[in-house]
Amino acid sequence: MRVPIDWLSEYVEIELTPVELSERLAMTGTEVARVLHHGPLSADNFVVGKVLSAEQHPDADRLRVCSVDTGDSEPRTIVCGAPNVAAGQTVSVALPGAVMPDGTKLGEAKLRGIKSSGMILAEDELGIGGEHDGIMVLTDDLAAGTPLAGVFAVSSDVLEPELTPNRGDCGGLYGIARELHAATGAALSAPPWSDDPGASTLGSAPAGISVTVDDAALCPRFTARIFENVTVGRSPIWLKARLAAAGQRSISNVVDITNYVMLVSGHPLHAFDLDRIAGGELTVRAARDGEKLTTLDGEERTLDGDICLIADADGPTSLAGVMGGSRSEVSDQTTSVLLEVAVWDGANINRTSTRLGLRSEASSRFEKGLSPEGALEAQAMASALMLELTGATLVDGTLDVGGDGPAANVIRLRDARIISLLGTPIARERSQAILEALGFTVTAADDGLDVTVPHWRRDDVTREADLIEEVARINGLESLPATLPLNRTGRAGGLSHQQRLVRRAEDVLVGRGLCEIVGWSFADPQICDRLLLDDDHPLRALVVIENPMSSAQSVMRPSILPSLLDAAAYNMARGAEGCALFESGSVYRAGRGDDGMAASEHHGLGAIVTGPVREPSWADAQPPAARIETAHALVSSVLGALGVDWQVEDGELPFLHPGRTAMIRTAEGLLGWFGEVHPAVAASWEITQPIAALAIDIGRAAAQAPSHSIFTDLTSFPPLREDLAVIVPAAVTAASVVACVTAAGSPLVSRAEVFDVYSGEQVGEGRVSLALHVDYSAGDRTLSDEDVAPLREKIVAALKVELDGELRG
Amino acid sequence: MIERVTEIQKQAEAEIAAASSSAALEELRVQYLGRKAELPQLLRDVAQLPPEQRGEAGRTANQARQTLEVMIETAAARFEADELSAALADDNVDITLPGSPAESCGHHHLLTATRREIEDVFCGLGYSVVEGPEVETVHYNFDALNHDPAHPARARSDTFYIEGGGEGSEQTLLRTHTSPMQIRIMEQTPPPIALIVPGRVFRRDSDATHTPQFHQIEGLLVDEGVTLADLKGTLLAFARAIFGADRELRLRPHFFPFTEPSVEVDVSCFMCEKGATSGGERCSLCKGTGWLEVLGSGMVDPNVFAAVSEHGYDPDTHQGFAFGLGIERIAMLKHGVPDLRFFYENDLRFLRQFG
C-alpha cells in the first residue's frame, strides 16, 4: 500500500518529515517498508500558464511556437511538440530551473533556431499516467502563474506501510491518518464521508434492482446505490495525480472514483453497468464446481463450490470481493451505474484469491475482514464524487442486505491489569486520551475505564489485553523497565541428561576430526532408487509434501546418509581428496508413531569418512584410507562416550557393501548400522573410493545410556594379563572368539580383546590367526597363575570344541 | 707412607681440577684409583706396616681415596650434563614444520554452535530445553495458536502440507515455527514453566533472504504476574550475552496472532554508534538505523491459554511471555555471514571457520 503524504495531509496535519513519520509509525506498530518519492523532487518552477497564441514553427512541421502567459511581466516563448496545443488553453508549464522527475534540470534551449524558455507538460512528464498524446489541459479558472502544486499534487513523498493482518482499518489513508493523530497528537480532520448526499435515501431500496444473498456468512452486508445520467469520461487532473502517486492507473472517472474511495476508506467498491445486469437482479451465491467467469483482466476463471460470486439472470457476473466480471464492466457507453459496496468473509476471500492465484487491491483488503458499517461510509464518499465528477443523479434509495454489524463491545480496562500485564502503570487520563484518539468511546469506571470499541476495530479489539496493547503501543514502550521474572518452576532448568549426551556424541565426532554439516530435510523421491531400496523396503514409506517447491525437494529424507553424500560430493567436486563429515538431525518416516504424532521422526546421528582417515602430513604422507573399521571405531567412540553397551551383528542394507555391513544392537534392539557404502550407490554420487558410513538413532541411544556410572574397583587388585593367539577357520568372527573366551573363562575373564589379525601360509589356507589380550581379575584378591591355569585350559578346550580353534605356537 | 699418600692426593687433585673432558677424567680415575694404581696399592700395603702405624696410615689413605672418588664423580657429573646439553643442542629440528599426524579437531556447524550458545544463555537463566515434532498438525501450528482462519500463513503458498495427512485441524504440515511446542508443553506441564524450544522449521519461501528450511528457538515463560517488563529484561540479558555487554534493547509494537501485546525486538547495533561507524560512515550492518531486528515476541494471548485451560492455564490468573528467534539470523549478524545459502551448502571452507 502506498500513502502519498501530500494526500494524507488532507486528513491529518503533518509537521514531521517522512522519515520521522515512518519512525513514529514503526514505534507504534505500523512498519514502513520504504519511503518513496513521486513526481519531481520539488514543485518549484512548475506553474499554470495561459497559451496566448500557438503558431507553426517556420522550420519544423511538428513544432508550434507558443506565446504563454506564466504570470510574469512578459509572456514567454515556448516551443511545443504536442499536436493539441492551441491558443486559449490553460496548461501546466515547467519554467527554466525546474527539475523533472528523471532529475534533468530544465534550461533555455533553442529548438530549430527559436529559443524556448520553458516546457508545456504532458501527463507522463509528471509521472501521471502513461498518456503522451498531448499536453494536459487545465480548467480555465486558474490564474496564470499559479504554482502548479496548488492545483494538484505535483510532488509528494510516499510512505509504503506494511500492515499487520489485524489492521484492516489501516487499508485506507484515513486509517493511517487516525494512527498518526493518536501517535503524534496531530489534528485529525472529520472523515471524508461525513456528508452523505444519499443520507435521506437510507432505509429504502432503489427501484429497478433486487439482490438476494444466499449465504449471509459469506456476505455479511451487501449495499448498492444506483446513479443515472452518468457521463463516463476522464477524471480531473487532481484525481489522476493522486491515484498515480498511490501507484494506481487512471481508467475512467467512474472506476477512478471507486479506487479513490477505496484508497481513502480502505473499503473496496465495485461499479456495475446497470444496463448490463441481466434481469435487473443480482444473486450472491456460492459458485458451482466448474462454473466459469471472465474477470475484468480478460482471464476466464474456472470456479469451485467454495468460491462466492455475484450472478445475474445470465449467470456469474462478478467474482465476489476479488474482481469484477468483464460482462458488466463500466464502459464509455455506460449511463447507469450500480455501485456495490459489500463486506465479504475474509477467510473465504483469502482462499479464493489463493485458489485462483488472483490477488487484487480488493482481495487484500477484504482478507483482513472489514466492518459492515464501513460499507455505507464508502457509499457516502463515493456518492458525493459521482455527483460531482460524472454529472450523475442519485436514484432514491440505498439497497442494504445485512445491515450494520453486531452491537459495539464494551470492555472494562482496569488500571491494575495494565500494571500486571506491562509491569508499569499508565495514568488513567493518558489511557483515555489515547483510546479516544484512536476512535474508542470511553467512560469512567470504578477501577478503570469502560471502553466502547469502534466498528472498524470490532474484530481486532475484543478483550482487555487488546486494549492494553493499544494503550501501550501509543504510549510508547521506550520507558518500559527491564526486569527479570522470578523463576518459580522449582526446577533447575538446563539441558536434560539426554540432551547433554547428544551434545557429547556430537562433541566426540568433532574431537575425532569430523566436520558437522546441516543438510536439507527435503529430498528427491528418486532417493529410494539411488539407495537401491527394494520396492517394499520400509524406508520407502516416505513423508510426501503435497505442495513442494520442486520435485527435488518433494519428500522428507528417509535416511541421513544422502545428505552426507551430497555434502561429500559437493566438496570433492571442489577439490577435496576426502571428507570426514557428520550430521545430527531429523529423519522422517510416514505413518503414525507410538506417540500419536503425524509421522515418525527420529534424531539421527550419521557420519561418513572417505579418503585418508586423516590429513596427510610431511611425517605421515600416506595415512590409511577410510574403511569399515573407521566407521566401527567412530561408533565405538560415540557409544562408549555414552556408556551404551552394544554389539555388532550381521545385517543387510541395500545401500551398503554386502560384505561390509554391520548392525548396531543393544539389549533394547537395533540402534543403527555402520559399514561401507555400496560402490554402486557411491558411484551415483560420483564417488569412486570406499566410503565408511554410520548412522545411529542418537535419541534412542541417549535414552538407553545409564544416567550415571557406578564405581568399580579396578585398582586395588590389578588384573593378571596374558596374550592368546588363536587359529580359527576364516569364517569364524572375532566377536565369536571373544564371546567364547569370555564365556569359558567366566567369571574371572574381565576383558578379551582382539589386537592382531594374521592370515597367511604359517596358519594354513582358510584359517586366520587372532591375537587377544585377556585380563583375568577378581574383585577381592590378586590372582595367581594357579588361579588362572585351569581357566586357560577350559578356554583352549572351548575354542577347540566350539570354533575348531587351536592355540598358535 | 703418609707423605706419599698426601703427595699423590695433591697431584691427583690438581690434575682432576684441570681435566677438560669426561674421557680425561676417566683416564685420571684409572691412573689414581684403578686396580694397578699406586694409591690402592698403598692401601693394600697398610697391612704390611707395623700395627701402631696401620691406624693412621689406613685412615689417611682411605680418606684420600674417598676424596678423589667424590671429586671425580662430581666433575664427571658436570661433564656429562655439559656434554648432554651440547649433544641436545646439536640435535635440533625445524620446529615450524606442521604437527603430525595431522589429526585436526573437527568443527560444529555454525548453526549448532549458535544454537548451543543461545541454549546455554537461557539454561543459565533457569530455562529447560525441549524439542518437538517437525511434522505437525494444523491444530498445533495454527488453530491453538489463535491464528485467524484466513491468516495468510495458512495458505498453500506459504506452508508445506503433507500428503494424505488428515482433514481440518488434523491436517498435517511441516511446522512453520517452533511455537506449536508452546501448546504441547502446556498440555503436559502445569504452570509455572520456563522453557525454550530449539528446532527446524519450514516455510515455502526461497530467495536471497529465505530458505525453505531454517531454525528457530522459541521461548515460553508462564506464571502468575509475569509482565512485559519481564520480557524486556529477559531479552536484554539474552542480547547482552550474545552481542555484548553494552547492548540496548528496543521494543516495537507489532502483531502476532498468539501474543498480545506483541512486540518486535531490536538490539542496538554492535558495529557502530547510532548508525554511524567510527569513520563517520553509514553502518552497513544496521543500514544506518543503529538497530538490528532480532526477534518477535509478546505476552501470551489469552486465547492461547484458553486452548490449554483444562491443563491449569487460566487466562484470568496466568500471564506469560513468548518469543521466537531465528538462529540463522543471529549467526549471520554475529559472524558477518552475508548469505543464507552458506549454511546449507556445507562447503568445508565455510564449515572450518566456525565451531
Side-chain angles (χ1 to χ4, degrees):
Chain A
M1 174 174 162
R2 291 188 171 186
V3 177
I5 291 177
D6 179 87
W7 184 359
L8 185 67
S9 66
E10 184 174 327
Y11 311 116
V12 62
E13 252 176 50
I14 292 187
E15 285 168 356
L16 302 176
T17 66
V19 170
E20 288 167 339
L21 285 177
S22 302
E23 269 180 20
R24 196 64 202 126
L25 283 171
M27 292 309 292
T28 53
T30 308
E31 191 95 31
V32 176
R34 288 191 295 172
V35 179
L36 312 169
H37 189 84
H38 182 79
L41 268 183
S42 156
D44 293 348
N45 295 313
F46 290 91
V47 299
V48 173
K50 299 274 185 187
V51 181
L52 303 176
S53 66
E55 310 290 342
Q56 183 64 42
H57 191 294
D59 297 323
D61 289 348
R62 291 168 186 265
L63 296 179
R64 308 286 190 90
V65 181
C66 305
S67 171
V68 183
D69 176 5
T70 53
D72 304 314
S73 51
E74 293 289 319
R76 59 178 67 227
T77 301
I78 298 176
V79 178
C80 176
N84 66 333
V85 67
Q89 285 172 335
T90 303
V91 295
S92 310
V93 177
L95 303 176
V99 178
M100 302 304 288
D102 66 3
T104 50
K105 187 173 181 181
L106 214 60
E108 293 194 337
K110 272 194 176 176
L111 289 169
R112 293 287 178 100
I114 296 180
K115 194 171 88 172
S116 178
S117 58
M119 186 160 116
I120 301 176
L121 299 166
E123 287 182 2
D124 67 339
E125 284 158 338
L126 285 176
I128 306 168
E131 288 182 42
H132 192 68
D133 52 354
I135 54 158
M136 149 172 60
V137 180
L138 306 176
T139 54
D140 293 335
D141 56 336
L142 298 167
T146 307
L148 208 52
V151 183
F152 62 91
V154 175
S155 165
S156 180
D157 291 310
V158 180
L159 304 180
E160 210 174 273
E162 283 175 347
L163 298 187
T164 53
N166 60 325
R167 294 306 300 274
D169 65 301
C170 285
L173 265 63
Y174 194 76
I176 298 285
R178 195 188 286 118
E179 281 291 298
L180 283 172
H181 165 60
T184 68
L188 183 71
S189 308
W193 46 78
S194 304
D195 293 323
D196 180 7
S200 62
T201 76
L202 294 172
S204 64
I209 188 74
S210 71
V211 172
T212 311
V213 175
D214 275 1
D215 186 349
L218 291 179
C219 177
R221 188 173 210 179
F222 189 103
T223 73
R225 280 181 179 175
I226 291 174
F227 298 86
E228 285 179 341
N229 306 315
V230 174
T231 308
V232 175
R234 287 191 179 185
S235 293
I237 188 67
W238 64 264
L239 177 51
K240 285 184 175 182
R242 282 191 167 178
L243 290 179
Q248 295 245 333
R249 197 163 54 95
S250 170
I251 305 221
S252 68
N253 51 3
V254 173
V255 175
D256 288 357
I257 287 168
T258 62
N259 284 331
Y260 183 84
V261 173
M262 174 184 74
L263 290 171
V264 175
S265 69
H267 205 117
L269 310 82
H270 182 63
F272 289 88
D273 183 334
L274 181 62
D275 297 327
R276 294 163 78 179
I277 297 177
E281 57 176 54
L282 293 173
T283 305
V284 176
R285 62 167 171 83
R288 286 182 274 277
D289 271 333
E291 207 165 6
K292 290 186 165 36
L293 168 69
T294 303
T295 42
L296 280 174
D297 54 7
E299 294 278 323
E300 190 186 63
R301 313 270 174 186
T302 305
L303 313 181
D304 67 30
D306 290 327
I307 290 175
C308 186
L309 56 73
I310 304 171
D312 62 11
D314 288 348
T317 186
S318 180
L319 194 54
V322 181
M323 192 174 275
S326 59
R327 192 156 58 80
S328 51
E329 187 179 357
V330 170
S331 71
D332 291 350
Q333 285 76 47
T334 300
T335 56
S336 299
V337 166
L338 179 138
L339 194 65
E340 166 221 317
V341 189
V343 178
W344 308 100
D345 175 63
N348 182 260
I349 297 298
N350 173 270
R351 188 198 162 279
T352 298
S353 70
T354 307
R355 156 82 178 68
L356 297 178
L358 177 61
R359 289 186 64 77
S360 63
E361 292 279 336
S363 70
S364 68
R365 286 177 170 81
F366 281 126
E367 272 171 13
K368 294 188 164 76
L370 299 180
S371 86
E373 289 80 354
L376 280 189
E377 293 173 354
Q379 281 286 10
M381 188 176 168
S383 298
L385 288 166
M386 285 293 288
L387 303 188
E388 182 189 337
L389 301 180
T390 74
T393 51
L394 174 60
V395 172
D396 204 31
T398 301
L399 188 142
D400 185 357
V401 181
D404 283 351
N409 200 2
V410 179
I411 307 168
R412 174 69 53 88
L413 174 61
R414 293 166 291 176
D415 299 337
R417 188 71 170 175
I418 293 180
I419 299 178
S420 91
L421 195 62
L422 299 181
T424 189
I426 295 177
R428 200 182 289 189
E429 300 70 33
R430 175 75 179 136
S431 297
Q432 177 163 2
I434 289 169
L435 290 167
E436 285 175 348
L438 289 168
F440 293 78
T441 311
V442 177
T443 57
D446 289 348
D447 53 353
L449 301 168
D450 278 326
V451 182
T452 307
V453 179
H455 69 79
W456 61 88
R457 301 298 300 278
R458 179 187 280 126
D459 295 340
D460 175 32
V461 179
T462 59
R463 302 153 309 174
E464 193 176 24
D466 302 323
L467 288 175
I468 294 173
E469 175 173 67
E470 292 304 302
V471 172
R473 73 183 178 89
I474 299 294
N475 190 52
L477 297 172
E478 295 90 337
S479 56
L480 193 69
T483 53
L484 279 178
L486 282 179
N487 185 334
R488 302 193 311 135
T489 60
R491 291 180 290 272
L495 295 177
S496 69
H497 177 62
Q498 290 187 24
Q499 287 163 342
R500 280 199 302 274
L501 289 180
V502 171
R503 280 197 183 189
R504 175 105 167 95
E506 295 164 351
D507 292 348
V508 163
L509 292 176
V510 166
R512 299 217 30 163
L514 280 70
C515 277
E516 186 188 10
I517 66 153
V518 173
W520 292 101
S521 285
F522 306 112
D524 191 313
Q526 289 181 353
I527 201 72
C528 295
D529 294 337
R530 289 181 86 189
L531 292 176
L532 308 178
L533 302 182
D534 314 325
D535 289 344
D536 55 354
H537 196 281
L539 285 188
R540 281 198 185 260
L542 297 173
V543 175
V544 181
I545 299 167
E546 201 174 278
N547 53 334
M549 299 194 75
S550 70
S551 67
Q553 296 197 327
S554 61
V555 300
M556 303 302 281
R557 62 178 177 194
S559 158
I560 207 157
L561 179 62
S563 300
L564 290 159
L565 292 172
D566 286 343
Y570 178 94
N571 283 291
M572 292 177 74
R574 281 157 185 77
E577 228 187 297
C579 291
L581 306 171
F582 77 97
E583 178 166 9
S584 175
S586 292
V587 177
Y588 314 81
R589 307 272 162 82
R592 288 180 185 267
D594 303 337
D595 47 8
M597 297 291 186
S600 77
E601 295 169 35
H602 73 261
H603 187 163
L605 181 72
I608 59 174
V609 184
T610 181
V613 294
R614 51 182 182 266
E615 299 258 307
S617 70
W618 61 277
D620 179 30
Q622 283 186 306
R627 306 302 290 243
I628 181 172
E629 60 268 20
T630 316
H632 193 157
L634 292 173
V635 172
S636 300
S637 295
V638 168
L639 295 181
L642 267 53
V644 173
D645 274 334
W646 66 287
Q647 286 178 328
V648 175
E649 186 177 285
D650 255 344
E652 260 182 71
L653 288 167
F655 46 84
L656 293 185
H657 185 313
R660 296 178 185 185
T661 301
M663 309 305 287
I664 301 166
R665 160 128 0 232
T666 68
E668 294 175 47
L670 283 179
L671 210 55
W673 51 261
F674 65 90
E676 285 178 30
V677 175
H678 196 295
V681 173
S684 145
W685 270 269
E686 295 183 343
I687 299 173
T688 51
Q689 62 198 27
I691 304 170
L694 67 93
I696 298 171
D697 182 336
I698 196 64
R700 282 177 59 199
Q704 293 176 24
S707 63
H708 57 285
S709 302
I710 298 292
F711 173 77
T712 307
D713 186 354
L714 299 178
T715 48
S716 298
F717 305 102
L720 196 140
R721 182 164 295 175
E722 66 175 8
D723 292 347
L724 286 181
V726 191
I727 298 173
V728 290
V732 172
T733 63
S736 56
V737 172
V738 167
C740 178
V741 169
T742 309
S746 171
L748 295 185
V749 170
S750 57
R751 184 183 75 134
E753 209 171 80
V754 174
F755 70 91
D756 192 26
V757 181
Y758 174 78
S759 59
E761 274 180 32
Q762 290 175 37
V763 297
E765 193 160 322
R767 293 180 78 80
V768 62
S769 165
L770 301 175
L772 289 83
H773 291 305
V774 180
D775 283 1
Y776 303 87
S777 52
D780 54 355
R781 65 205 152 98
T782 302
L783 295 175
S784 66
D785 256 346
E786 291 76 60
D787 293 318
V788 166
L791 278 179
R792 189 183 303 120
E793 278 170 30
K794 276 178 72 182
I795 290 169
V796 171
L799 285 169
K800 177 88 190 154
V801 171
E802 293 171 24
L803 302 175
D804 183 19
E806 55 191 343
L807 282 200
R808 185 180 175 195
Chain B
M1 185 176 186
I2 288 173
E3 292 76 33
R4 181 62 192 148
V5 167
T6 308
E7 202 174 305
I8 293 171
Q9 184 177 355
K10 267 189 182 161
Q11 188 184 342
E13 279 177 359
E15 286 182 31
I16 289 168
S20 63
S21 71
S22 54
L25 211 55
E26 178 60 17
E27 268 178 35
L28 290 173
R29 195 186 62 74
V30 173
Q31 181 184 336
Y32 288 102
L33 300 174
R35 213 160 45 81
K36 294 177 180 163
E38 192 181 354
L39 187 59
Q41 190 54 51
L42 287 174
L43 257 169
R44 283 194 290 276
D45 292 347
V46 168
Q48 318 292 318
L49 291 176
E52 67 276 12
Q53 291 179 15
R54 286 181 199 165
E56 200 187 345
R59 259 195 311 279
T60 307
N62 240 335
Q63 275 173 358
R65 191 185 62 183
Q66 283 170 6
T67 302
L68 292 181
E69 274 172 1
V70 168
M71 276 189 74
I72 290 173
E73 269 170 36
T74 306
R78 196 178 64 238
F79 282 128
E80 261 175 49
D82 290 350
E83 283 159 18
L84 181 62
S85 295
L88 293 181
D90 284 344
D91 182 21
N92 62 1
V93 296
D94 180 355
I95 55 164
T96 63
L97 279 169
S100 179
E103 288 178 287
S104 53
C105 201
H107 301 264
H108 289 289
H109 194 282
L110 178 55
L111 291 177
T112 298
T114 306
R115 190 199 75 226
R116 288 187 177 191
E117 191 180 355
I118 298 167
E119 284 174 353
D120 291 348
V121 170
F122 285 102
C123 286
L125 290 170
Y127 288 63
S128 301
V129 181
V130 293
E131 283 138 346
E134 293 168 23
V135 179
E136 261 295 358
T137 63
V138 164
H139 171 74
Y140 285 106
N141 198 75
F142 293 127
D143 295 350
L145 290 169
N146 198 37
H147 279 61
D148 192 84
H151 195 280
R154 293 174 181 261
R156 290 170 49 85
S157 56
D158 288 29
T159 296
F160 292 105
Y161 289 91
I162 299 300
E163 254 182 26
E167 289 290 316
S169 66
E170 288 309 305
Q171 194 179 2
T172 51
L173 44 71
L174 298 183
R175 66 177 175 189
T176 60
H177 45 188
T178 39
S179 312
M181 275 307 284
Q182 289 191 20
I183 304 297
R184 290 188 181 276
I185 281 295
M186 287 193 282
E187 286 176 345
Q188 290 159 12
T189 316
I193 53 169
L195 48 96
I196 57 168
V197 188
R200 185 171 288 191
V201 301
F202 305 88
R203 291 184 194 170
R204 248 181 132 272
D205 231 345
S206 184
D207 57 37
T209 55
H210 299 89
T211 45
Q213 82 180 21
F214 58 103
H215 298 83
Q216 284 191 331
I217 293 182
E218 188 84 5
L220 178 68
L221 184 141
V222 181
D223 198 351
E224 293 168 12
V226 178
T227 68
L228 189 66
D230 290 336
L231 171 64
K232 186 175 182 182
T234 300
L235 295 177
L236 183 62
F238 154 77
R240 289 180 173 174
I242 299 293
F243 293 111
D246 299 334
R247 302 279 66 76
E248 292 300 334
L249 215 60
R250 181 173 85 167
L251 305 188
R252 267 183 298 113
H254 197 67
F255 171 80
F256 300 111
F258 43 110
T259 48
E260 187 84 6
S262 301
V263 289
E264 293 250 44
V265 178
D266 300 338
V267 173
S268 58
C269 185
F270 54 87
M271 293 282 281
C272 67
E273 199 58 51
K274 293 187 167 64
T277 63
S278 51
E281 289 181 14
R282 178 174 174 268
C283 175
S284 59
L285 186 64
C286 66
K287 311 243 168 1
T289 63
W291 296 97
L292 302 168
E293 187 180 322
V294 291
L295 57 88
S297 63
M299 301 303 290
V300 178
D301 193 286
N303 289 357
V304 173
F305 287 140
V308 289
S309 59
E310 62 191 284
H311 302 282
Y313 291 84
D314 179 352
D316 287 333
T317 53
H318 284 88
Q319 294 178 171
F321 59 71
F323 55 86
L325 57 86
I327 299 176
E328 279 85 349
R329 169 125 186 103
I330 303 290
M332 288 172 90
L333 286 174
K334 181 163 180 170
H335 298 275
V337 178
D339 194 320
L340 263 178
R341 283 171 301 190
F342 284 112
F343 292 119
Y344 298 109
E345 258 173 11
N346 295 311
D347 192 310
L348 283 164
R349 293 164 295 186
F350 173 79
L351 300 177
R352 288 182 176 140
Q353 294 179 39
F354 309 101

